[in-house]
Amino acid sequence: MPRPRRDGVAASALDATARPRATVPDAAGLTATPPPAAAIPVPAPREPPLQRGDGKSVSVVHVVAELAPFARTGGLGEAVHSLARFQASAGIDTAIVMPLYRAARENARAIEQVGEPFEVMLGSTTETVRLFRHAVTGRSREQRTPRIYFIDHPHFFDRPGLYGENGFDYPDNPRRYALFSLAALVALPRIAEGPVLLHAHDWHAALAPVYLRTYFQHEAWYRQVSTVLSVHNAGFQGQYPPEILPEIGLPWSLFNWRQLEWYGKVNVLKGGLAFSDAVTTVSPTHAHELRTPAGGFGLHDAFIALRERFVGIVNGIDQTLWNPETDTQITARFSRDNMENKRKCKAAIQRAFGLPQRAGIPIFAMSARLTYQKGLELILGYPDYFALDAQFIFLGAGDPKYEAELRELALRAPTRIGTEFNFTDRLEHRLLAGADMCLMPSMYEPCGLTQM
């Protein structure tokens, strides 16, 4: 069992010389050559860009619940996709592990099984899991693209939705993502040779550092694994009744205020914070907000306790994918020097949403998950917006309350308001290419990807 630190956070099982310092790479016990600030691809580095103190090259393995273009509901899947592509293009051996949802299986098309099925003990049950690899992305470091792996468990992941349906979470989500985290760790030696920097994202993968430092703490191979947890959205923490602990195979000894206990509940994100070597979030400003009672969603003390192990790094996008001069998903390509084809993109999106094709009317677009966080109250609470001579298009799924309100508005003003609750990457690209302006309200964590 990891010993508690004086600052209230569980100590790492790593050697004392690998204790965290001020920057994220150092916090994981690594030294890094900063990649050049250029669009992908970047020139091949002359030496491995990510190394351990003894000079051994380090592989990065992302563990994430969603990933573009296979299955995603918002910016998380795109952010991880872009980050992993940049890391791979910089010469880092990079892999990503995600669940094999029904949507991911359909979108991936070409996948191949890696090794034999294996068993994972999840509480009192034994679950059989298979590991698949996306055949298109290949497997060699020289290809300079991240390898994509899928955790296959049909009972948990072969479902219509990722996290739930009709605005409600699946009730077995704690077991689903506990199994995902455990299976990713069991499969880790098949994915990377090691040493490994395991990069977990949000609460869905936050149990990976917990299992790593408990289940696997006495296994030699896993002692070369360092961990980073990125908090993209602290408003979702994985809060469940304490009775869930034996169901996900964790001892009651972890149910304490320093690790998994939070106001009488199990808080999965808090556990990830406690057991990770380093923690990041989407911007330095948001890192400051999370340390305050007003912006920390009840976890501000946990973020404060991390001290120098918690930093904010500005989010980013893959500029090669979002370049309208080369984007293959939009109706017509254009540039800042030649905007003529922008009109074709605008007309196409008006047709797609059943709106009159008026070149002179402005289009306001909002592409986001329809949740309180994204600031729908700031739009729907002020009907004067819709009194403007403009067209409004909303793309994204979320809270049934907001979907119903937007659907009603579109029925009342079918020539000026369009909605689509089935999000796709292609439609988002077409929408942003055709819109004149974007609506970007936000109740918190405003460093999203759309404005970039």
Side-chain angles (χ1 to χ4, degrees):
M1 197 57 214
R3 61 188 183 282
R5 296 167 61 103
R6 287 194 298 270
D7 59 9
V9 181
S12 166
L14 299 179
D15 182 80
T17 59
R19 292 281 170 81
R21 294 187 288 278
T23 64
V24 172
D26 286 346
L30 310 171
T31 57
T33 301
I40 299 171
V42 297
R46 295 182 179 178
E47 60 183 27
L50 192 61
Q51 296 179 324
R52 206 167 61 175
D54 58 6
K56 290 185 178 180
S57 297
V58 176
S59 298
V60 174
V61 178
H62 296 273
V63 181
V64 65
E66 59 180 76
L67 182 69
F70 305 104
R72 73 182 181 103
T73 63
L76 170 62
E78 183 180 345
V80 175
H81 170 80
S82 299
L83 173 60
R85 285 192 73 225
F86 189 90
Q87 289 172 329
S89 71
I92 299 172
D93 181 50
T94 309
I96 310 171
V97 188
M98 69 171 294
L100 188 58
Y101 302 109
R102 183 179 302 174
R105 183 184 292 274
E106 294 170 354
N107 292 325
R109 299 192 182 119
I111 59 175
E112 55 191 16
Q113 187 167 326
V114 181
E116 296 297 320
F118 56 93
E119 293 183 342
V120 174
M121 281 295 300
L122 186 64
S124 60
T125 66
T126 301
E127 306 291 343
T128 300
V129 178
R130 294 186 298 172
L131 180 68
F132 283 87
R133 178 175 54 229
H134 188 225
V136 176
T137 58
R139 57 187 298 180
S140 69
R141 183 179 306 196
E142 289 71 22
Q143 289 180 294
R144 300 168 68 81
T145 57
R147 304 183 309 283
I148 314 298
Y149 293 86
F150 303 93
I151 298 296
D152 178 41
H153 187 283
H155 175 67
F156 280 159
F157 301 125
D158 186 12
R159 302 181 183 184
L162 273 59
Y163 309 121
E165 298 174 47
N166 303 316
F168 297 95
D169 288 347
Y170 292 125
D172 60 348
N173 272 353
R175 283 180 55 81
R176 295 175 75 221
Y177 291 105
L179 174 79
F180 170 57
S181 297
L182 259 178
L185 287 171
V186 173
L188 199 56
R190 302 186 188 184
I191 295 170
E193 296 179 1
V196 173
L197 174 59
L198 183 73
H199 193 158
H201 296 269
D202 273 351
W203 82 263
H204 321 92
L207 283 177
V210 180
Y211 288 128
L212 178 69
R213 302 304 182 211
T214 54
Y215 264 48
F216 300 90
Q217 65 172 325
H218 298 302
E219 298 191 28
W221 190 90
Y222 288 92
R223 291 177 192 157
Q224 62 184 338
V225 179
S226 303
T227 57
V228 173
L229 173 65
S230 282
V231 180
H232 300 259
N233 189 339
F236 295 93
Q237 302 174 2
Q239 300 173 14
Y240 297 103
E243 293 76 20
I244 199 65
L245 278 176
E247 294 185 28
I248 60 177
L250 289 175
W252 283 104
S253 59
L254 299 185
F255 192 65
N256 63 76
W257 68 271
R258 293 179 174 177
Q259 295 170 327
L260 282 170
E261 189 273 335
W262 185 83
Y263 294 98
K265 296 181 180 180
V266 169
N267 190 309
V268 174
L269 182 62
K270 180 181 178 181
L273 299 178
F275 283 91
S276 294
D277 298 314
V279 177
T280 74
T281 191
V282 297
S283 72
T285 300
H286 194 48
H288 170 74
E289 292 171 345
L290 291 173
R291 290 183 173 104
T292 66
F297 303 94
L299 288 179
H300 56 282
D301 286 335
F303 285 110
I304 292 172
L306 292 169
R307 299 182 182 178
E308 73 277 4
R309 294 194 292 132
F310 177 43
V311 297
I313 301 173
V314 175
N315 231 335
I317 62 171
D318 186 340
Q319 297 181 34
T320 62
L321 294 179
W322 287 101
N323 182 356
E325 294 184 72
T326 58
D327 194 340
T328 59
Q329 301 197 71
I330 63 179
T331 302
R333 299 173 189 173
F334 59 91
S335 68
R336 68 176 67 187
D337 299 320
N338 184 0
M339 297 286 286
E340 186 62 31
N341 280 343
K342 170 84 173 177
R343 298 182 183 182
K344 295 180 182 178
C345 293
K346 181 173 182 176
I349 205 66
Q350 288 172 322
R351 289 194 302 271
F353 281 84
L355 302 174
Q357 294 181 49
R358 294 172 54 190
I361 191 172
I363 294 180
F364 290 82
M366 182 172 177
S367 175
R369 284 177 294 108
L370 303 180
T371 63
Y372 173 81
Q373 171 207 349
K374 295 301 181 181
L376 267 297
E377 301 285 352
L378 301 176
I379 301 297
L380 299 175
Y382 296 89
D384 289 350
Y385 278 114
F386 303 109
L388 298 172
D389 185 21
Q391 293 174 341
F392 297 83
I393 298 177
F394 298 88
L395 172 64
D399 192 323
K401 165 190 169 184
Y402 296 126
E403 290 186 12
E405 289 187 44
L406 289 172
R407 191 178 287 110
E408 181 182 353
L409 284 171
L411 289 174
R412 285 162 47 189
T415 63
R416 295 192 299 108
I417 300 175
T419 61
E420 177 55 65
F421 305 126
N422 294 315
F423 177 92
T424 67
D425 284 318
R426 182 172 183 269
L427 193 53
E428 183 180 41
H429 278 249
R430 294 181 66 198
L431 177 60
L432 296 185
D436 297 295
M437 287 165 276
C438 290
L439 293 172
M440 297 179 187
S442 182
M443 301 304 291
Y444 63 88
E445 192 250 310
C447 192
L449 302 180
T450 309
Q451 62 263 48
M452 296 182 185

